[in-house]
Amino acid sequence: MVTIRVALVDDQALFRAGIAMVISSQDDLSVVGEAGDGSEVPSLVRSAQPDVIVMDVRMPRVDGVTATRTLQESMGADAPKVLVLTTFDEDESAVAAIEAGASGFVLKSAEPEMLLASIRSVAAGNQVVAAGATRALFARFRGRSAHPGPEYDSLTAREREILLQAAKGLSNAEIAAAEFLSEATVKTHISRILTKLGARDRVQLVVYAYEHGLAT
């Protein structure tokens, strides 16, 4: 079994300890490091080499948005995936974190099973957005950029359809059912779409679709 290496960044030590206990109870998850502020993230990544960072979006010194942006600027595609924690589902900071490169967000009040599933999903390259918030959240990106450029023109008709399905928050299995394809084929299409659009993960595909007026 492949173990997903998880780092925790939150300024509340007690909350951090609780999350660590939940994560450590799983055979496929391992807590490899902790930090109390976003300023510690670069050194934490170097020493612990996590696959996923579960990070509070609001911290007193360096917040989760700034820490995520710094990671992306310094490491690019080699940066670990970031799952940010927030207290309510339409937090402007959560939107900013996604723009900075986070793969999604989950509520601090979420059930442990939801947090664990979110970590696994982010590690697999999928988007995670707090239940019920997807449309309201991504609608904020609508129309921020001009019409799609040459990168969109390079997509095949099938890839454009799958991009729109991904923008609705559908999983590979759901897209496969809608498009009458196998999950393996959908996964291949998603990989090609990511490459053509220069996107890091599925959450960036969703942002792209809304920014360019492709999603409604």
Side-chain angles (χ1 to χ4, degrees):
M1 181 182 294
V2 176
T3 300
I4 300 170
R5 298 168 60 84
V6 183
L8 307 176
V9 182
D10 193 293
D11 61 310
Q12 298 179 348
L14 188 59
F15 181 78
R16 205 168 63 234
I19 293 180
M21 289 181 61
V22 170
I23 293 173
S24 298
S25 71
Q26 304 297 299
D27 293 337
D28 62 330
L29 302 176
S30 175
V31 177
V32 295
E34 299 183 26
D37 188 73
S39 62
E40 302 171 50
V41 169
S43 60
L44 175 63
V45 170
R46 285 193 299 270
S47 62
Q49 299 183 339
D51 301 308
V52 177
I53 299 176
V54 178
M55 179 153 51
D56 189 4
V57 75
R58 296 179 183 273
M59 290 177 281
R61 287 181 291 171
V62 175
D63 60 34
V65 177
T66 302
T68 299
R69 184 178 297 109
T70 298
L71 270 183
Q72 289 299 309
E73 291 174 348
S74 63
M75 299 184 67
D78 294 327
K81 302 294 177 64
V82 175
L83 176 66
V84 295
L85 298 173
T86 183
T87 53
F88 57 100
D89 62 7
E90 290 190 32
D91 190 343
E92 288 286 354
S93 294
V95 177
I98 288 174
E99 288 184 298
S103 293
F105 73 95
V106 67
L107 300 181
K108 281 193 166 185
S109 60
E111 294 294 325
E113 292 76 12
M114 176 61 186
L115 175 62
L116 295 172
S118 297
I119 292 171
R120 294 183 179 106
S121 185
V122 165
N126 297 320
Q127 70 185 66
V128 174
V129 177
T134 305
R135 185 172 297 275
L137 173 70
F138 288 111
R140 301 179 187 213
F141 294 105
R142 185 175 291 121
R144 290 191 184 182
S145 299
H147 293 295
E151 74 284 348
Y152 180 74
D153 295 335
S154 70
L155 300 180
T156 65
R158 174 69 80 180
E159 288 168 348
R160 293 180 187 184
E161 291 175 4
I162 290 175
L163 170 61
L164 294 181
Q165 299 284 26
K168 297 176 183 177
L170 271 62
S171 66
N172 285 354
E174 291 168 332
I175 294 174
E179 297 291 327
F180 302 102
L181 299 170
S182 69
E183 285 190 54
T185 298
V186 171
K187 185 175 180 180
T188 298
H189 280 304
I190 291 290
S191 179
R192 289 174 179 167
I193 295 168
L194 288 169
T195 298
K196 290 180 179 181
L197 298 185
R200 180 170 181 261
D201 53 30
R202 290 172 69 103
V203 73
Q204 290 189 353
L205 292 185
V206 181
V207 172
Y208 180 93
Y210 274 95
E211 280 186 330
H212 294 90
L214 303 174
T216 58

